[in-house]
Amino acid sequence: MALESINPKNKKLIKKFNELSDEQIDQKINQADAAFKVWRETDFDERSKYLKSIAKELRNQKASLAKIMTDEVGKTLSASEAEIEKCALTCEYYADNGEDFLKPEEVETDASKSYVRFDPLGVILAVMPWNFPFWQVFRFAAPAIMAGNTGVLKHASNVQMSAEAMEKAMLDAGLPEGVFLNLCIGSSKVAQVIENDKVKAVTLTGSEKAGEAVASRSGGQIKKTVMELGGSDPFIVLEDADLDSAVQAAVTARLQFNGGQSCIAAKRFIVAKAVLPEFERKLVETVSQLVVGDPTDSNTHVGPLANQQMVDDVDKQVKESVAKGAKILAGGKPGNTAGYFYPPTIVTNTTFDMPVCNQETFGPVFAIIGVEDTYEAIKVANDSIYGLGSNIFTENVEKAMNDIAPKLEAGAVFINGPIKSDPRLPFGGVKKSGYGRELSHYGMKEFVNIKTVWVK
């Protein structure tokens, strides 16, 4: 089966890739396993130097790597360049802190000496999505490599140019062959990779459906998994919020520099009815100024969606919600049909029985829900199968921290600012948004053997 990269701004085929044969897949996994046996013996100083070299190489190639990303998924060039920079910063973060995160921890017991050490597991399979082609991979790869593991990547079928380019960038930086390998395969071959005895654990970022399939297959093999799945993040605006700040953050939080195609994008805007009219007015005014178009044009704010299915899905969700009583304040119709465009769309008067509220909308749709008070805001926020991120906007920060944040069923709560991933903080969700954590020292410890050593 051929994998294809298609430019979403014009629907033109860029490049085709031949899928690896079963024999080639085994060869690459064997190569990663052989590399692990050597890599695990390197010390933290040596691994740190490699990660810093990778960071330097990413910056050296930033323009060309960003262009590949933009051509494959349609995000603006500035967003793609920022993504490469974030990957470089994450490599440096783990290069600087990885040894300290994994230093042995002494524990006082009845032994003369007892401690916990953190040893690498081996070959880790990463199953990654297309929406942040570099960042999703590096937030796994940087801590895993620093911990002494090796990685094999099953990237999304439509971003194989990005997958090839990041593997090459790591090799250009001097990383030994086999420490990180791209597997050019479709989803039908993931099961055999999981079942390979040399693969010790699996991490996946993707849809709930993909998570169910990979977690089930991995569980059958008794292999550790981390699942980072979908989200329908609430964005709570209370009566005392600074509305100008909230609106600017709402636009950033919803669009996430990628047309809203992000698991942690704010999707449900839960607004106190006392300020709802003004919030809607300001949001419509701001969104109407956004330029939708060619992602390589520096004036563009919102590029195309990734493919026609994404456009069709979002359009269907909006139309079905309107049929149930929702009202469109802006957008609402597919745009330039020369590419996969859909305009930023604001839908108000929404309720939980509407797709824009009870499903994940993977596109630039703002679903607004009016609430009477804080109690109702929390109730509506938690009325979801998902629990990834959340936002609160209020002048009463103490109340947000001590009363609201503990009650929100989410893996992250951002107060008076748009949610984002940060290598210094753990990232992940609860409920159908998955389990386990990426980033920070918590994420690094997901793929190590937490080993007790006891001495009489």
Side-chain angles (χ1 to χ4, degrees), residues 64-143:
S64 60
L65 296 177
K67 180 64 163 55
I68 289 171
M69 208 186 316
T70 292
D71 286 346
E72 284 194 307
V73 302
K75 63 175 60 185
T76 62
L77 272 175
S78 60
S80 295
E81 290 177 353
E83 184 168 333
I84 297 299
E85 180 62 31
K86 191 171 184 177
C87 294
L89 287 169
T90 298
C91 287
E92 291 170 339
Y93 176 73
Y94 281 102
D96 291 336
N97 296 286
E99 181 176 9
D100 186 58
F101 289 163
L102 298 185
K103 67 182 179 182
E105 298 176 2
E106 290 201 21
V107 180
E108 190 172 325
T109 67
D110 58 343
S112 63
K113 183 180 182 66
S114 51
Y115 59 96
V116 181
R117 59 174 292 123
F118 305 96
D119 294 327
L121 293 178
V123 181
I124 314 297
L125 167 64
V127 182
M128 293 291 141
W130 48 264
N131 54 339
F132 291 88
F134 277 72
W135 169 238
Q136 307 279 21
V137 176
F138 271 92
R139 75 184 192 192
F140 147 74

Side-chain angles (χ1 to χ4, degrees), residues 418-434:
I419 191 170
K420 60 183 178 180
S421 54
D422 185 315
R424 297 165 293 188
L425 294 169
F427 183 87
V430 295
K431 299 194 284 188
K432 294 281 187 175
S433 289

Side-chain angles (χ1 to χ4, degrees), residues 17-260:
F17 298 82
N18 292 322
E19 190 175 29
L20 296 177
S21 67
D22 292 351
E23 181 180 1
Q24 289 173 318
I25 292 171
D26 287 341
Q27 288 173 349
K28 284 189 174 287
I29 294 173
N30 289 339
Q31 183 183 4
D33 182 60
F36 167 68
K37 291 177 171 58
V38 177
W39 184 249
R40 69 176 301 168
E41 299 302 323
T42 59
D43 59 27
F44 285 111
D45 283 344
E46 186 173 356
R47 295 176 205 162
S48 175
K49 289 175 184 176
Y50 280 116
L51 279 181
K52 288 186 176 181
S53 179
I54 291 170
K56 182 178 180 181
E57 192 61 36
L58 288 173
R59 291 192 176 99
N60 288 341
Q61 298 186 29
K62 181 161 62 176
S64 60
L65 296 177
K67 180 64 163 55
I68 289 171
M69 208 186 316
T70 292
D71 286 346
E72 284 194 307
V73 302
K75 63 175 60 185
T76 62
L77 272 175
S78 60
S80 295
E81 290 177 353
E83 184 168 333
I84 297 299
E85 180 62 31
K86 191 171 184 177
C87 294
L89 287 169
T90 298
C91 287
E92 291 170 339
Y93 176 73
Y94 281 102
D96 291 336
N97 296 286
E99 181 176 9
D100 186 58
F101 289 163
L102 298 185
K103 67 182 179 182
E105 298 176 2
E106 290 201 21
V107 180
E108 190 172 325
T109 67
D110 58 343
S112 63
K113 183 180 182 66
S114 51
Y115 59 96
V116 181
R117 59 174 292 123
F118 305 96
D119 294 327
L121 293 178
V123 181
I124 314 297
L125 167 64
V127 182
M128 293 291 141
W130 48 264
N131 54 339
F132 291 88
F134 277 72
W135 169 238
Q136 307 279 21
V137 176
F138 271 92
R139 75 184 192 192
F140 147 74
I145 289 172
M146 188 63 184
N149 297 300
T150 57
V152 291
L153 169 66
K154 186 282 172 201
H155 219 326
S157 299
N158 61 326
V159 291
Q160 288 301 310
M161 290 168 58
S162 293
E164 277 193 349
M166 72 180 77
E167 180 185 38
K168 182 179 183 299
M170 291 190 201
L171 291 173
D172 289 346
L175 189 71
E177 291 190 11
V179 174
F180 178 88
L181 290 169
N182 176 47
L183 302 180
C184 185
I185 59 174
S187 58
S188 64
K189 294 199 173 189
V190 172
Q192 70 190 75
V193 179
I194 294 172
E195 292 171 358
N196 189 302
D197 289 341
K198 292 183 173 66
V199 173
K200 303 304 180 185
V202 184
T203 181
L204 175 140
T205 298
S207 68
E208 180 186 340
K209 182 179 178 181
E212 288 175 355
V214 169
S216 176
R217 181 70 65 171
S218 302
Q221 300 293 310
I222 320 295
K223 292 185 179 180
K224 174 70 180 290
T225 54
V226 168
M227 295 285 129
E228 197 276 280
L229 308 178
S232 185
D233 289 7
F235 187 104
I236 298 171
V237 181
L238 298 180
E239 187 174 346
D240 65 345
D242 178 334
L243 290 187
D244 288 332
S245 176
V247 166
Q248 291 299 322
V251 173
T252 299
R254 183 62 190 98
L255 299 180
Q256 288 284 335
F257 315 107
N258 195 20

Side-chain angles (χ1 to χ4, degrees), residues 268-436:
R268 294 175 296 139
F269 295 81
I270 302 165
V271 184
K273 288 182 179 179
V275 296
L276 181 58
E278 187 177 0
F279 177 84
E280 290 178 340
R281 180 185 63 79
K282 289 177 177 288
L283 184 62
V284 170
E285 183 179 287
T286 302
V287 166
S288 66
Q289 296 173 10
L290 298 175
V291 176
V292 180
D294 184 346
T296 63
D297 187 329
S298 60
N299 294 315
T300 295
H301 300 107
V302 183
L305 301 188
N307 53 52
Q308 188 62 49
Q309 188 65 55
M310 305 304 298
V311 176
D312 292 344
D313 287 349
V314 170
D315 192 42
K316 181 181 178 183
Q317 289 170 318
V318 170
K319 286 179 177 176
E320 290 183 358
S321 298
V322 169
K324 288 178 175 287
K327 179 183 177 183
I328 294 176
L329 299 180
K333 295 180 181 180
N336 175 9
T337 56
Y340 305 123
F341 291 93
Y342 194 89
T345 296
I346 303 172
V347 186
T348 192
N349 197 37
T350 64
T351 55
F352 188 72
D353 64 334
M354 299 175 183
V356 293
C357 288
N358 62 32
Q359 298 175 10
E360 180 177 27
T361 50
F362 223 62
V365 177
F366 299 74
I368 300 176
I369 308 166
V371 294
E372 294 292 345
D373 52 27
T374 301
Y375 172 82
E376 188 181 2
I378 296 170
K379 184 176 182 295
V380 171
N382 290 336
D383 193 8
S384 173
I385 62 172
Y386 299 108
L388 191 54
S390 56
N391 292 268
I392 306 167
F393 276 77
T394 176
E395 290 294 290
N396 192 337
V397 173
E398 290 296 319
K399 180 180 179 181
M401 290 192 299
N402 300 322
D403 186 35
I404 304 175
K407 295 181 176 67
L408 292 177
E409 297 167 357
V413 179
F414 276 57
I415 300 170
N416 292 335
I419 191 170
K420 60 183 178 180
S421 54
D422 185 315
R424 297 165 293 188
L425 294 169
F427 183 87
V430 295
K431 299 194 284 188
K432 294 281 187 175
S433 289
Y435 53 80

